[in-house]
Amino acid sequence: MSLARFGVSLDEDILKALDEFVIENKLPNRSQAIRHLVERNLVEKKWQCNQVVAGAVVLLYDHHKGDVTIKSNDIQHENFDVILSSQHFHLSHDYCLEIIAVKGIANKLTQLSDKLIGIKGIIHGKLVMSRAE
Ligand code: NI
């Protein structure tokens, strides 16, 4: 990939925040920090669109509460075409961690993730995505 250079003017406080971001994320320089932030922003925009992305839905729940396991299973079967695999960890007597790998149209994955995370009894849920093409 060829590199293009350009000048950036920033307010001092934003520059200070950028330098803190460089340190916090152990990045080599400001250029890498800007690249990272731009890419992250572009990925998040893609969530709303029709492009193919890949990622994972992470769910944490207490399997004794409600019927989370049954509901999650039903939703996953309804969306088998975008689910690559799922892993279930029995964290303790009560808690389960489920990681569902997904690939498909961003819109559809966001809807799927909202449905899963919205199941009554889910303690924590998050969708992470990245460009897949
Ligand atoms: Ni379990």
Side-chain angles (χ1 to χ4, degrees), residues 3-21:
L3 287 176
R5 288 178 183 277
F6 66 101
V8 181
S9 304
L10 293 174
D11 288 336
E12 263 183 40
D13 53 341
I14 293 178
L15 185 62
K16 197 176 163 213
L18 182 67
D19 286 337
E20 281 166 9
F21 184 83

mmCIF file with all atom_site columns, all heavy atoms in Angstrom, residues 3-21:
data_model
loop_
_atom_site.group_PDB
_atom_site.id
_atom_site.type_symbol
_atom_site.label_atom_id
_atom_site.label_alt_id
_atom_site.label_comp_id
_atom_site.label_asym_id
_atom_site.label_entity_id
_atom_site.label_seq_id
_atom_site.pdbx_PDB_ins_code
_atom_site.Cartn_x
_atom_site.Cartn_y
_atom_site.Cartn_z
_atom_site.occupancy
_atom_site.B_iso_or_equiv
_atom_site.pdbx_formal_charge
_atom_site.auth_seq_id
_atom_site.auth_comp_id
_atom_site.auth_asym_id
_atom_site.auth_atom_id
_atom_site.pdbx_PDB_model_num
ATOM 1   N N   . LEU A 1 3  ? 1.845   5.146  0.698  1.00 0.00 ? 3  LEU A N   1
ATOM 2   C CA  . LEU A 1 3  ? 1.477   6.093  1.750  1.00 0.00 ? 3  LEU A CA  1
ATOM 3   C C   . LEU A 1 3  ? 1.312   7.485  1.162  1.00 0.00 ? 3  LEU A C   1
ATOM 4   O O   . LEU A 1 3  ? 2.092   7.898  0.313  1.00 0.00 ? 3  LEU A O   1
ATOM 5   C CB  . LEU A 1 3  ? 2.566   6.139  2.819  1.00 0.00 ? 3  LEU A CB  1
ATOM 6   C CG  . LEU A 1 3  ? 2.669   4.920  3.740  1.00 0.00 ? 3  LEU A CG  1
ATOM 7   C CD1 . LEU A 1 3  ? 3.857   5.084  4.665  1.00 0.00 ? 3  LEU A CD1 1
ATOM 8   C CD2 . LEU A 1 3  ? 1.389   4.736  4.540  1.00 0.00 ? 3  LEU A CD2 1
ATOM 9   N N   . ALA A 1 4  ? 0.296   8.192  1.602  1.00 0.00 ? 4  ALA A N   1
ATOM 10  C CA  . ALA A 1 4  ? 0.116   9.589  1.216  1.00 0.00 ? 4  ALA A CA  1
ATOM 11  C C   . ALA A 1 4  ? 0.294   10.442 2.461  1.00 0.00 ? 4  ALA A C   1
ATOM 12  O O   . ALA A 1 4  ? -0.130  10.052 3.544  1.00 0.00 ? 4  ALA A O   1
ATOM 13  C CB  . ALA A 1 4  ? -1.283  9.784  0.629  1.00 0.00 ? 4  ALA A CB  1
ATOM 14  N N   . ARG A 1 5  ? 0.958   11.578 2.286  1.00 0.00 ? 5  ARG A N   1
ATOM 15  C CA  . ARG A 1 5  ? 1.153   12.468 3.427  1.00 0.00 ? 5  ARG A CA  1
ATOM 16  C C   . ARG A 1 5  ? 0.256   13.679 3.292  1.00 0.00 ? 5  ARG A C   1
ATOM 17  O O   . ARG A 1 5  ? 0.002   14.155 2.192  1.00 0.00 ? 5  ARG A O   1
ATOM 18  C CB  . ARG A 1 5  ? 2.609   12.948 3.471  1.00 0.00 ? 5  ARG A CB  1
ATOM 19  C CG  . ARG A 1 5  ? 3.574   11.881 3.889  1.00 0.00 ? 5  ARG A CG  1
ATOM 20  C CD  . ARG A 1 5  ? 5.008   12.428 3.858  1.00 0.00 ? 5  ARG A CD  1
ATOM 21  N NE  . ARG A 1 5  ? 5.940   11.370 4.203  1.00 0.00 ? 5  ARG A NE  1
ATOM 22  C CZ  . ARG A 1 5  ? 6.230   11.011 5.448  1.00 0.00 ? 5  ARG A CZ  1
ATOM 23  N NH1 . ARG A 1 5  ? 5.670   11.651 6.468  1.00 0.00 ? 5  ARG A NH1 1
ATOM 24  N NH2 . ARG A 1 5  ? 7.082   10.036 5.662  1.00 0.00 ? 5  ARG A NH2 1
ATOM 25  N N   . PHE A 1 6  ? -0.226  14.163 4.434  1.00 0.00 ? 6  PHE A N   1
ATOM 26  C CA  . PHE A 1 6  ? -1.000  15.395 4.427  1.00 0.00 ? 6  PHE A CA  1
ATOM 27  C C   . PHE A 1 6  ? -0.847  16.082 5.771  1.00 0.00 ? 6  PHE A C   1
ATOM 28  O O   . PHE A 1 6  ? -0.537  15.436 6.778  1.00 0.00 ? 6  PHE A O   1
ATOM 29  C CB  . PHE A 1 6  ? -2.482  15.119 4.116  1.00 0.00 ? 6  PHE A CB  1
ATOM 30  C CG  . PHE A 1 6  ? -3.204  14.335 5.175  1.00 0.00 ? 6  PHE A CG  1
ATOM 31  C CD1 . PHE A 1 6  ? -4.031  14.978 6.094  1.00 0.00 ? 6  PHE A CD1 1
ATOM 32  C CD2 . PHE A 1 6  ? -3.054  12.960 5.251  1.00 0.00 ? 6  PHE A CD2 1
ATOM 33  C CE1 . PHE A 1 6  ? -4.697  14.253 7.071  1.00 0.00 ? 6  PHE A CE1 1
ATOM 34  C CE2 . PHE A 1 6  ? -3.712  12.224 6.238  1.00 0.00 ? 6  PHE A CE2 1
ATOM 35  C CZ  . PHE A 1 6  ? -4.539  12.880 7.147  1.00 0.00 ? 6  PHE A CZ  1
ATOM 36  N N   . GLY A 1 7  ? -1.019  17.390 5.781  1.00 0.00 ? 7  GLY A N   1
ATOM 37  C CA  . GLY A 1 7  ? -0.880  18.143 7.025  1.00 0.00 ? 7  GLY A CA  1
ATOM 38  C C   . GLY A 1 7  ? -2.207  18.184 7.773  1.00 0.00 ? 7  GLY A C   1
ATOM 39  O O   . GLY A 1 7  ? -3.267  18.232 7.167  1.00 0.00 ? 7  GLY A O   1
ATOM 40  N N   . VAL A 1 8  ? -2.132  18.129 9.090  1.00 0.00 ? 8  VAL A N   1
ATOM 41  C CA  . VAL A 1 8  ? -3.352  18.181 9.906  1.00 0.00 ? 8  VAL A CA  1
ATOM 42  C C   . VAL A 1 8  ? -3.212  19.307 10.927 1.00 0.00 ? 8  VAL A C   1
ATOM 43  O O   . VAL A 1 8  ? -2.181  19.418 11.582 1.00 0.00 ? 8  VAL A O   1
ATOM 44  C CB  . VAL A 1 8  ? -3.564  16.848 10.675 1.00 0.00 ? 8  VAL A CB  1
ATOM 45  C CG1 . VAL A 1 8  ? -4.846  16.891 11.500 1.00 0.00 ? 8  VAL A CG1 1
ATOM 46  C CG2 . VAL A 1 8  ? -3.601  15.677 9.707  1.00 0.00 ? 8  VAL A CG2 1
ATOM 47  N N   . SER A 1 9  ? -4.238  20.138 11.023 1.00 0.00 ? 9  SER A N   1
ATOM 48  C CA  . SER A 1 9  ? -4.252  21.176 12.063 1.00 0.00 ? 9  SER A CA  1
ATOM 49  C C   . SER A 1 9  ? -5.251  20.774 13.137 1.00 0.00 ? 9  SER A C   1
ATOM 50  O O   . SER A 1 9  ? -6.394  20.464 12.825 1.00 0.00 ? 9  SER A O   1
ATOM 51  C CB  . SER A 1 9  ? -4.676  22.523 11.466 1.00 0.00 ? 9  SER A CB  1
ATOM 52  O OG  . SER A 1 9  ? -3.827  22.857 10.390 1.00 0.00 ? 9  SER A OG  1
ATOM 53  N N   . LEU A 1 10 ? -4.780  20.745 14.381 1.00 0.00 ? 10 LEU A N   1
ATOM 54  C CA  . LEU A 1 10 ? -5.664  20.349 15.483 1.00 0.00 ? 10 LEU A CA  1
ATOM 55  C C   . LEU A 1 10 ? -5.573  21.347 16.614 1.00 0.00 ? 10 LEU A C   1
ATOM 56  O O   . LEU A 1 10 ? -4.518  21.944 16.836 1.00 0.00 ? 10 LEU A O   1
ATOM 57  C CB  . LEU A 1 10 ? -5.251  18.970 16.028 1.00 0.00 ? 10 LEU A CB  1
ATOM 58  C CG  . LEU A 1 10 ? -5.430  17.747 15.131 1.00 0.00 ? 10 LEU A CG  1
ATOM 59  C CD1 . LEU A 1 10 ? -4.829  16.521 15.804 1.00 0.00 ? 10 LEU A CD1 1
ATOM 60  C CD2 . LEU A 1 10 ? -6.894  17.513 14.833 1.00 0.00 ? 10 LEU A CD2 1
ATOM 61  N N   . ASP A 1 11 ? -6.681  21.500 17.334 1.00 0.00 ? 11 ASP A N   1
ATOM 62  C CA  . ASP A 1 11 ? -6.648  22.296 18.569 1.00 0.00 ? 11 ASP A CA  1
ATOM 63  C C   . ASP A 1 11 ? -5.707  21.587 19.537 1.00 0.00 ? 11 ASP A C   1
ATOM 64  O O   . ASP A 1 11 ? -5.585  20.364 19.498 1.00 0.00 ? 11 ASP A O   1
ATOM 65  C CB  . ASP A 1 11 ? -8.042  22.375 19.196 1.00 0.00 ? 11 ASP A CB  1
ATOM 66  C CG  . ASP A 1 11 ? -8.975  23.266 18.396 1.00 0.00 ? 11 ASP A CG  1
ATOM 67  O OD1 . ASP A 1 11 ? -8.449  24.146 17.681 1.00 0.00 ? 11 ASP A OD1 1
ATOM 68  O OD2 . ASP A 1 11 ? -10.197 23.061 18.471 1.00 0.00 ? 11 ASP A OD2 1
ATOM 69  N N   . GLU A 1 12 ? -5.071  22.370 20.417 1.00 0.00 ? 12 GLU A N   1
ATOM 70  C CA  . GLU A 1 12 ? -4.085  21.791 21.333 1.00 0.00 ? 12 GLU A CA  1
ATOM 71  C C   . GLU A 1 12 ? -4.653  20.691 22.210 1.00 0.00 ? 12 GLU A C   1
ATOM 72  O O   . GLU A 1 12 ? -3.998  19.682 22.456 1.00 0.00 ? 12 GLU A O   1
ATOM 73  C CB  . GLU A 1 12 ? -3.468  22.887 22.199 1.00 0.00 ? 12 GLU A CB  1
ATOM 74  C CG  . GLU A 1 12 ? -2.137  23.351 21.628 1.00 0.00 ? 12 GLU A CG  1
ATOM 75  C CD  . GLU A 1 12 ? -1.472  24.394 22.500 1.00 0.00 ? 12 GLU A CD  1
ATOM 76  O OE1 . GLU A 1 12 ? -1.531  24.238 23.737 1.00 0.00 ? 12 GLU A OE1 1
ATOM 77  O OE2 . GLU A 1 12 ? -0.905  25.346 21.935 1.00 0.00 ? 12 GLU A OE2 1
ATOM 78  N N   . ASP A 1 13 ? -5.900  20.902 22.668 1.00 0.00 ? 13 ASP A N   1
ATOM 79  C CA  . ASP A 1 13 ? -6.471  19.885 23.567 1.00 0.00 ? 13 ASP A CA  1
ATOM 80  C C   . ASP A 1 13 ? -6.769  18.581 22.817 1.00 0.00 ? 13 ASP A C   1
ATOM 81  O O   . ASP A 1 13 ? -6.650  17.493 23.371 1.00 0.00 ? 13 ASP A O   1
ATOM 82  C CB  . ASP A 1 13 ? -7.704  20.412 24.308 1.00 0.00 ? 13 ASP A CB  1
ATOM 83  C CG  . ASP A 1 13 ? -8.763  20.983 23.386 1.00 0.00 ? 13 ASP A CG  1
ATOM 84  O OD1 . ASP A 1 13 ? -8.423  21.307 22.232 1.00 0.00 ? 13 ASP A OD1 1
ATOM 85  O OD2 . ASP A 1 13 ? -9.923  21.097 23.818 1.00 0.00 ? 13 ASP A OD2 1
ATOM 86  N N   . ILE A 1 14 ? -7.129  18.706 21.533 1.00 0.00 ? 14 ILE A N   1
ATOM 87  C CA  . ILE A 1 14 ? -7.380  17.487 20.747 1.00 0.00 ? 14 ILE A CA  1
ATOM 88  C C   . ILE A 1 14 ? -6.059  16.781 20.467 1.00 0.00 ? 14 ILE A C   1
ATOM 89  O O   . ILE A 1 14 ? -5.970  15.545 20.526 1.00 0.00 ? 14 ILE A O   1
ATOM 90  C CB  . ILE A 1 14 ? -8.145  17.818 19.440 1.00 0.00 ? 14 ILE A CB  1
ATOM 91  C CG1 . ILE A 1 14 ? -9.555  18.307 19.799 1.00 0.00 ? 14 ILE A CG1 1
ATOM 92  C CG2 . ILE A 1 14 ? -8.220  16.603 18.513 1.00 0.00 ? 14 ILE A CG2 1
ATOM 93  C CD1 . ILE A 1 14 ? -10.409 18.709 18.635 1.00 0.00 ? 14 ILE A CD1 1
ATOM 94  N N   . LEU A 1 15 ? -5.021  17.562 20.208 1.00 0.00 ? 15 LEU A N   1
ATOM 95  C CA  . LEU A 1 15 ? -3.695  16.979 19.985 1.00 0.00 ? 15 LEU A CA  1
ATOM 96  C C   . LEU A 1 15 ? -3.208  16.252 21.251 1.00 0.00 ? 15 LEU A C   1
ATOM 97  O O   . LEU A 1 15 ? -2.651  15.152 21.174 1.00 0.00 ? 15 LEU A O   1
ATOM 98  C CB  . LEU A 1 15 ? -2.696  18.072 19.591 1.00 0.00 ? 15 LEU A CB  1
ATOM 99  C CG  . LEU A 1 15 ? -1.299  17.587 19.216 1.00 0.00 ? 15 LEU A CG  1
ATOM 100 C CD1 . LEU A 1 15 ? -1.354  16.669 17.997 1.00 0.00 ? 15 LEU A CD1 1
ATOM 101 C CD2 . LEU A 1 15 ? -0.379  18.761 18.936 1.00 0.00 ? 15 LEU A CD2 1
ATOM 102 N N   . LYS A 1 16 ? -3.483  16.861 22.394 1.00 0.00 ? 16 LYS A N   1
ATOM 103 C CA  . LYS A 1 16 ? -3.106  16.243 23.665 1.00 0.00 ? 16 LYS A CA  1
ATOM 104 C C   . LYS A 1 16 ? -3.857  14.914 23.844 1.00 0.00 ? 16 LYS A C   1
ATOM 105 O O   . LYS A 1 16 ? -3.275  13.905 24.253 1.00 0.00 ? 16 LYS A O   1
ATOM 106 C CB  . LYS A 1 16 ? -3.443  17.204 24.819 1.00 0.00 ? 16 LYS A CB  1
ATOM 107 C CG  . LYS A 1 16 ? -2.744  16.855 26.112 1.00 0.00 ? 16 LYS A CG  1
ATOM 108 C CD  . LYS A 1 16 ? -3.037  17.878 27.199 1.00 0.00 ? 16 LYS A CD  1
ATOM 109 C CE  . LYS A 1 16 ? -2.695  17.287 28.548 1.00 0.00 ? 16 LYS A CE  1
ATOM 110 N NZ  . LYS A 1 16 ? -3.571  17.754 29.616 1.00 0.00 ? 16 LYS A NZ  1
ATOM 111 N N   . ALA A 1 17 ? -5.137  14.922 23.500 1.00 0.00 ? 17 ALA A N   1
ATOM 112 C CA  . ALA A 1 17 ? -5.945  13.698 23.601 1.00 0.00 ? 17 ALA A CA  1
ATOM 113 C C   . ALA A 1 17 ? -5.413  12.631 22.642 1.00 0.00 ? 17 ALA A C   1
ATOM 114 O O   . ALA A 1 17 ? -5.375  11.448 22.977 1.00 0.00 ? 17 ALA A O   1
ATOM 115 C CB  . ALA A 1 17 ? -7.408  14.006 23.292 1.00 0.00 ? 17 ALA A CB  1
ATOM 116 N N   . LEU A 1 18 ? -4.968  13.075 21.459 1.00 0.00 ? 18 LEU A N   1
ATOM 117 C CA  . LEU A 1 18 ? -4.419  12.135 20.471 1.00 0.00 ? 18 LEU A CA  1
ATOM 118 C C   . LEU A 1 18 ? -3.131  11.507 21.009 1.00 0.00 ? 18 LEU A C   1
ATOM 119 O O   . LEU A 1 18 ? -2.932  10.294 20.908 1.00 0.00 ? 18 LEU A O   1
ATOM 120 C CB  . LEU A 1 18 ? -4.147  12.848 19.138 1.00 0.00 ? 18 LEU A CB  1
ATOM 121 C CG  . LEU A 1 18 ? -3.606  11.969 18.014 1.00 0.00 ? 18 LEU A CG  1
ATOM 122 C CD1 . LEU A 1 18 ? -4.653  10.956 17.554 1.00 0.00 ? 18 LEU A CD1 1
ATOM 123 C CD2 . LEU A 1 18 ? -3.163  12.817 16.823 1.00 0.00 ? 18 LEU A CD2 1
ATOM 124 N N   . ASP A 1 19 ? -2.279  12.331 21.630 1.00 0.00 ? 19 ASP A N   1
ATOM 125 C CA  . ASP A 1 19 ? -1.022  11.813 22.190 1.00 0.00 ? 19 ASP A CA  1
ATOM 126 C C   . ASP A 1 19 ? -1.303  10.829 23.332 1.00 0.00 ? 19 ASP A C   1
ATOM 127 O O   . ASP A 1 19 ? -0.607  9.824  23.477 1.00 0.00 ? 19 ASP A O   1
ATOM 128 C CB  . ASP A 1 19 ? -0.126  12.961 22.668 1.00 0.00 ? 19 ASP A CB  1
ATOM 129 C CG  . ASP A 1 19 ? 0.499   13.704 21.492 1.00 0.00 ? 19 ASP A CG  1
ATOM 130 O OD1 . ASP A 1 19 ? 0.611   13.103 20.400 1.00 0.00 ? 19 ASP A OD1 1
ATOM 131 O OD2 . ASP A 1 19 ? 0.873   14.882 21.660 1.00 0.00 ? 19 ASP A OD2 1
ATOM 132 N N   . GLU A 1 20 ? -2.327  11.111 24.111 1.00 0.00 ? 20 GLU A N   1
ATOM 133 C CA  . GLU A 1 20 ? -2.710  10.183 25.187 1.00 0.00 ? 20 GLU A CA  1
ATOM 134 C C   . GLU A 1 20 ? -3.213  8.860  24.602 1.00 0.00 ? 20 GLU A C   1
ATOM 135 O O   . GLU A 1 20 ? -2.913  7.791  25.113 1.00 0.00 ? 20 GLU A O   1
ATOM 136 C CB  . GLU A 1 20 ? -3.799  10.809 26.075 1.00 0.00 ? 20 GLU A CB  1
ATOM 137 C CG  . GLU A 1 20 ? -3.222  11.808 27.063 1.00 0.00 ? 20 GLU A CG  1
ATOM 138 C CD  . GLU A 1 20 ? -4.281  12.697 27.719 1.00 0.00 ? 20 GLU A CD  1
ATOM 139 O OE1 . GLU A 1 20 ? -5.495  12.424 27.537 1.00 0.00 ? 20 GLU A OE1 1
ATOM 140 O OE2 . GLU A 1 20 ? -3.902  13.669 28.384 1.00 0.00 ? 20 GLU A OE2 1
ATOM 141 N N   . PHE A 1 21 ? -3.944  8.980  23.490 1.00 0.00 ? 21 PHE A N   1
ATOM 142 C CA  . PHE A 1 21 ? -4.459  7.784  22.804 1.00 0.00 ? 21 PHE A CA  1
ATOM 143 C C   . PHE A 1 21 ? -3.293  6.929  22.300 1.00 0.00 ? 21 PHE A C   1
ATOM 144 O O   . PHE A 1 21 ? -3.320  5.701  22.402 1.00 0.00 ? 21 PHE A O   1
ATOM 145 C CB  . PHE A 1 21 ? -5.365  8.220  21.641 1.00 0.00 ? 21 PHE A CB  1
ATOM 146 C CG  . PHE A 1 21 ? -6.023  7.078  20.914 1.00 0.00 ? 21 PHE A CG  1
ATOM 147 C CD1 . PHE A 1 21 ? -7.185  6.504  21.387 1.00 0.00 ? 21 PHE A CD1 1
ATOM 148 C CD2 . PHE A 1 21 ? -5.469  6.573  19.746 1.00 0.00 ? 21 PHE A CD2 1
ATOM 149 C CE1 . PHE A 1 21 ? -7.799  5.454  20.721 1.00 0.00 ? 21 PHE A CE1 1
ATOM 150 C CE2 . PHE A 1 21 ? -6.070  5.515  19.073 1.00 0.00 ? 21 PHE A CE2 1
ATOM 151 C CZ  . PHE A 1 21 ? -7.238  4.954  19.558 1.00 0.00 ? 21 PHE A CZ  1
#
